Amino acid sequence: MKTLLLLVGLLVTWESGQVLGEQEVSERELQEMSTEGTKYVNKEVKNSLKELKQIKTLMEHKNDERKSLLGNLEEARKKKEEALTDTKDAEMKLKASQEVCNETMMALWEECKPCLKQTCMKFYARVCRSGSGLVGRQLEEFLNQSSPFYLWINGDRIDSLLENDRQQNHVLDAMEDRFNRVSSIMDDLFQDSFFSREPLDTFHFSPFGSSPRRPSFFHSKSRLARNIMPFPMFGPPNFPDMFQSFFDMIHQAQQAMDVQFHRPSFHFPELSAENNDSRSVCKEIRHNSTGCLKMKDQCAKCQEILSVDCSATNPAQNQLRQELNSSLQLAEKFTELYDELLQSYQQNMFNTSALLKQLDEQFSWVSQLANLTQNEDQYSLHVTTVASHSSDSSVPNGFTKVVLKLFDSDPITVTVPADVSRNNPKFMETVAEKALQEYRQHLREE
């Protein structure tokens, strides 16, 4: 019985010590901590709102860059289209007189085809995944139906140019469509008076108030309320709904911009197993076999077709061929230039998308914080409990545990090293910083 009474006494003493330990921090000290923590949160909100406006400025700058790139793209497109038109005209004129030198080219073609098929099938078997048998039959049929004249006029290069032109136009149209949708959304967002005013000055700025009775940042008499809602109101504004509207618009813009364009850059590779373009060549060979014609440089008889000189029988045809080659080289040059500009435009799009993500991250925690505001008498940060290892065994030795709320949020627990004492001005700054970090991390995980 004595032992039992002793154990009960020790338990009561321990529990009393824990309560006493927690009561070492008076209500007045808790209020002072809450006031200091609130000041830090106010400062972070202020900085966040300023950064939102800085992001707006950066996005406007990116839009100016985009317009400049569009002008360069349009100029390059015109030159490319002119060269493509000249190329197609020269091709049509040559096709009209293809009978010239036909016997010579046909004889070479009969020797070119077996080499071309063998070279292509070796490449396909070494590089591509499957379907060699089907591809072999398709290729043989394709070569039997093809004309050596197609090689003589570099028809594969012309087809590649036309296909690249189609792809480039598609990619630019798709990017422009997304930019226009994003621009429309962001114009609506940035036209709000909240974004159109200068950053809030330090002297008047008091977002959440630094005392328990000062009006909240989100109350109708606060400076933010006057900045965002400058018109007369018959009642307090519904800030959660208003911020949610901003938040939804940012998400809509992100979704509109969230796209990847993976089109290979324009070039005419010499095909080999090591070539980076092998995957697209495999696809082209499976699709229509024309990819095999790009291997003509590896067959001597195919090369001879390219060097056939018809000037003795038809000087005009030789002149047309020279014009075709000149316009073809020019079209390739402007296609490559256009592709470089298109990639710069695409990078501008990705940079804008990154700014939208930054805008989302910067705005989300402020908007969600606004959703927690219930009345004007609350602290933005309210400390409820402070405990050390001596008063709470769950607290790691050498640390101080602080339990707090951001408005009416769920309790947030942070620990501060004991070498930063409660009297140290850095104590509540550390507490508030950790609390906001945890709060933001929670939002990202939702």
Side-chain angles (χ1 to χ4, degrees), residues 365-380:
W365 77 272
V366 178
S367 63
Q368 293 300 315
L369 201 61
N371 290 345
L372 295 175
T373 308
Q374 298 299 309
N375 62 65
E376 64 181 80
D377 293 329
Q378 288 178 305
Y379 291 105
S380 56

Side-chain angles (χ1 to χ4, degrees), residues 155-395:
D156 57 323
R157 289 171 65 187
I158 296 172
D159 286 348
S160 292
L161 276 171
L162 296 175
E163 175 60 19
N164 268 274
D165 183 58
R166 185 192 67 78
Q167 289 186 17
Q168 287 174 338
N169 290 336
H170 171 73
V171 169
L172 181 61
D173 288 345
M175 286 196 291
E176 265 298 271
D177 176 64
R178 290 182 179 275
F179 261 125
N180 289 335
R181 287 163 59 191
V182 170
S183 295
S184 176
I185 295 169
M186 299 317 292
D187 281 348
D188 288 342
L189 177 63
F190 289 147
Q191 280 173 4
D192 193 280
S193 58
F194 165 55
F195 286 99
S196 64
R197 291 181 178 250
E198 293 300 316
L200 303 176
D201 60 89
T202 306
F203 182 76
H204 291 98
F205 188 85
S206 181
F208 297 105
S210 57
S211 67
R213 297 297 173 183
R214 183 171 292 182
S216 161
F217 181 42
F218 299 112
H219 184 252
S220 60
K221 293 181 180 180
S222 74
R223 187 172 177 82
L224 177 66
R226 296 196 302 274
N227 273 303
I228 302 182
M229 310 283 278
F231 45 83
M233 295 174 291
F234 296 100
N238 189 333
F239 281 98
D241 287 350
M242 185 190 65
F243 272 96
Q244 188 62 45
S245 176
F246 283 179
F247 200 42
D248 290 343
M249 292 170 78
I250 294 171
H251 273 295
Q252 289 172 23
Q254 271 192 295
Q255 291 171 2
M257 189 67 84
D258 187 19
V259 65
Q260 299 289 326
F261 295 103
H262 296 299
R263 193 185 66 79
S265 299
F266 175 82
H267 59 289
F268 295 105
E270 292 183 7
L271 301 182
S272 67
E274 294 76 30
N275 195 283
N276 291 332
D277 201 41
S278 298
R279 185 177 299 176
S280 62
V281 175
C282 291
K283 182 179 179 181
E284 186 175 1
I285 292 172
R286 284 194 294 268
H287 180 61
N288 58 18
S289 300
T290 55
C292 289
L293 296 180
K294 294 179 180 179
M295 302 180 190
K296 60 184 182 291
D297 293 347
Q298 300 178 41
C299 295
K301 293 301 179 181
C302 300
Q303 283 291 91
E304 288 185 36
I305 293 174
L306 293 172
S307 60
V308 169
D309 184 1
C310 297
S311 59
T313 54
N314 191 334
Q317 189 186 57
N318 192 55
Q319 178 64 29
L320 283 173
R321 191 181 181 209
Q322 290 179 7
E323 291 177 5
L324 173 63
N325 287 335
S326 296
S327 60
L328 188 58
Q329 290 175 4
L330 200 59
E332 289 173 357
K333 172 186 172 183
F334 286 121
T335 297
E336 289 174 350
L337 173 61
Y338 192 90
D339 216 67
E340 290 174 4
L341 291 170
L342 202 60
Q343 289 179 40
S344 296
Y345 193 89
Q346 184 174 351
Q347 186 59 52
N348 179 276
M349 181 176 185
F350 292 153
N351 291 342
T352 303
S353 182
L355 285 173
L356 281 171
K357 182 180 180 182
Q358 188 179 348
L359 186 70
D360 181 13
E361 291 176 350
Q362 197 67 33
F363 193 81
S364 63
W365 77 272
V366 178
S367 63
Q368 293 300 315
L369 201 61
N371 290 345
L372 295 175
T373 308
Q374 298 299 309
N375 62 65
E376 64 181 80
D377 293 329
Q378 288 178 305
Y379 291 105
S380 56
L381 184 151
H382 184 71
V383 179
T384 58
T385 304
V386 179
S388 62
H389 182 74
S390 61
S391 61
D392 185 344
S393 59
S394 67
V395 181

